[in-house]
């Protein structure tokens, strides 16, 4: 099977830290370990870690004090790769990764037919994990007008990263409808829940800043492994 391209390591580290801060695992004002110790613990080069820390700092979630250390700063929302990925481990947080199983260009389903300007769409089926724990099955539809063909090797762990950098499409908002549903009859054997089993369910429409629908998706997740969390700041 062809493989997706992984996000750059420093972005993976940055996103991991952002999600750990959002989950409260890294408290406001907490001092991170010395950079060399932290790099050793994470198994990365110091330069890679520093690039990740610089990204977190640029998003306002870190104060880097020369000669003192790196201090966590909480903010209600930041512009991160996984800003709209709202599944977390039951303990909170977890770095998302994805395994794309298939990409096909097909006639769009009724639920997505009214969205976008083309009768066809790219149907992406993938598995999602958090910190290596398999949690969800996703069916994603991208309007066919966005691109003639999409291959598994075109995609990274974050589709929104692919949309922004390869298609010039920036997701500005999403509408989620959350409930429970039976796993679909096409559930792959690679997922640990079987077709017909009850699972958590998210139906999403993603919109650009111009209020144009860009994506429709359905996600079935294991509520024994993950939960849906949406954090909002004060209005």
């Amino acid at each position: 099977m062809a493989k997706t391209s992984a996000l750059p390591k420093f972005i993976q580290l940055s996103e991991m830290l952002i999600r750990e801060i959002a989950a409260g695992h890294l408290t406001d004002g907490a001092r991170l370990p010395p950079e060399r110790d932290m790099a050793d613990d994470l198994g990365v080069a110091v330069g890679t870690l520093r690039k990740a820390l610089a990204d977190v700092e640029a998003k306002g979630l870190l104060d880097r004090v020369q000669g003192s250390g790196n201090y966590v700063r909480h903010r209600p929302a930041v512009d991160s790769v996984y800003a709209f990925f709202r599944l977390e481990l039951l303990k909170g947080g977890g770095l998302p990764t994805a395994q794309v199983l298939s990409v096909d260009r097909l006639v769009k389903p009724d639920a997505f037919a009214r969205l976008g300007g083309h009768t066809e769409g790219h149907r992406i089926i993938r598995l999602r994990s958090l910190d290596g724990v398999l949690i969800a099955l996703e069916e994603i539809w991208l309007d066919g007008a966005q691109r003639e063909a999409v291959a598994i090797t075109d995609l990274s762990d974050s589709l929104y990263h692919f949309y922004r950098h390869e298609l010039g499409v920036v997701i500005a908002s999403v509408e989620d409808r959350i409930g429970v549903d039976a796993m679909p009859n096409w559930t792959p054997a690679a997922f640990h829940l079987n077709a017909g089993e009850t699972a958590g369910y998210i139906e999403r429409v993603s919109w650009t800043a111009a209020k144009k629908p860009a994506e429709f998706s359905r996600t079935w997740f294991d509520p024994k492994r993950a939960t849906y969390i949406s954090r909002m700041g004060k209005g």
Side-chain angles (χ1 to χ4, degrees), residues 1 13 18 25 46 63 77 79 94 128 140 143 145 158 167 178-179 184 195 200 230:
M1 177 186 293
L13 293 175
I18 289 168
H25 295 165
V46 173
D63 285 343
D79 180 22
R128 294 305 293 266
I140 301 144
D143 189 61
S158 169
L167 305 182
I178 308 162
S230 179

Side-chain angles (χ1 to χ4, degrees), residues 9-205:
K9 190 64 178 181
F10 83 92
I11 293 180
Q12 294 180 44
L13 293 175
S14 171
E15 293 296 323
M16 178 194 70
L17 290 169
I18 289 168
R19 288 175 63 83
E20 289 293 291
I21 291 169
H25 295 165
L26 297 172
T27 58
D28 188 51
R31 182 179 181 273
L32 297 181
E35 292 179 359
R36 290 192 179 280
D37 293 346
M38 194 172 175
D40 288 342
D41 289 341
L42 294 170
V44 298
V46 173
T48 301
L49 175 64
R50 287 176 177 163
K51 195 172 181 181
L53 294 176
D55 185 59
V56 178
E57 180 187 27
K59 291 179 169 65
L61 293 176
L62 201 66
D63 285 343
R64 306 184 75 187
V65 182
Q66 184 67 33
S68 178
N70 300 307
Y71 296 86
V72 172
R73 292 290 177 259
H74 274 262
R75 290 180 59 196
V78 298
D79 180 22
S80 68
V81 170
Y82 295 115
F84 291 119
F85 187 76
R86 292 171 179 160
L87 288 175
E88 298 189 10
L89 295 171
L90 298 182
K91 66 178 182 179
L95 178 66
T97 53
Q99 178 189 3
V100 179
L101 301 181
S102 62
V103 182
D104 298 290
R105 188 179 176 99
L106 304 168
V107 175
K108 289 187 294 189
D110 291 341
F112 190 36
R114 64 183 179 85
L115 306 176
H118 205 287
T119 57
E120 294 183 342
H122 302 287
R123 181 183 187 241
I124 302 167
I125 302 297
R126 64 180 186 169
L127 302 175
R128 294 305 293 266
S129 298
L130 289 169
D131 287 350
V133 178
L134 186 59
I135 61 154
L137 170 66
E138 293 179 328
E139 177 187 26
I140 301 144
W141 286 85
L142 176 68
D143 189 61
Q146 298 291 348
R147 186 162 168 164
E148 181 63 28
V150 176
I152 290 177
T153 50
D154 293 330
L155 306 177
S156 68
D157 285 328
S158 169
L159 284 185
Y160 288 0
H161 186 269
F162 166 73
Y163 297 163
R164 179 192 291 261
H165 295 281
E166 298 296 328
L167 305 182
V169 174
V170 178
I171 302 300
S173 62
V174 299
E175 177 184 293
D176 286 347
R177 300 192 178 195
I178 308 162
V180 295
D181 195 15
M183 295 296 300
N185 58 12
W186 48 265
T187 299
F191 196 62
H192 61 284
L193 298 181
N194 298 316
E197 287 192 60
T198 300
Y201 178 71
I202 307 163
E203 190 169 285
R204 166 176 289 187
V205 179

Side-chain angles (χ1 to χ4, degrees), residues 211-229:
K211 302 298 182 183
K212 293 183 178 180
E215 176 199 66
F216 172 78
S217 69
R218 301 192 296 170
T219 299
W220 295 263
F221 67 93
D222 185 347
K224 294 181 179 179
R225 297 185 179 186
T227 187
Y228 180 98
I229 296 180

